[in-house]
Amino acid sequence: MDRAASSASATSSRRPGVREGEGFTILFEDRFGTRPIPAWAGESVAAALLAAGERAWRTAEDGSQRGLFCGIGVCWECRCIIDGRPNSRACQTEARPGLSVRWQVGQGLLPDGSLPDGGAS
């Protein structure tokens, strides 16, 4: 089989728009509560949040809501609190089972104005 045919058969087995492989749940806590978000192996936190309909997961310093912008880790608009670490880039963090993602306000506060993990971070 030539290279072009091999490539075509490999890509044709993938179904566009269908998440395949091992599925699991991450927890997303926004200003209104915590909810489970389905994710798949190899997917970024940003991809899982977008697929679940979440378009914003941070409040910027000016009060506007922010989420994914560039998707490659350059702009930092997708930062949120991941496993207690503020300013984590959702587009650069691979989703894994049990991961905790929290809404971030400004430079790394929780929506109630407190520091994540009681200020331990």
Side-chain angles (χ1 to χ4, degrees), residues 8-33:
S9 67
T11 57
S12 64
S13 66
R14 300 274 312 162
R15 296 176 294 166
V18 177
R19 297 157 107 185
E20 298 174 336
E22 178 188 345
F24 51 85
T25 302
I26 61 175
L27 296 177
F28 176 58
E29 182 178 342
D30 63 12
R31 298 154 300 159
F32 309 109

Side-chain angles (χ1 to χ4, degrees), residues 1 8 18-19 50 66 68 73-74 77 86 100 105 120:
M1 183 182 293
V18 177
R19 297 157 107 185
L50 287 173
R66 303 290 171 89
L68 187 66
V74 175
E77 289 300 320
S100 169
V105 176

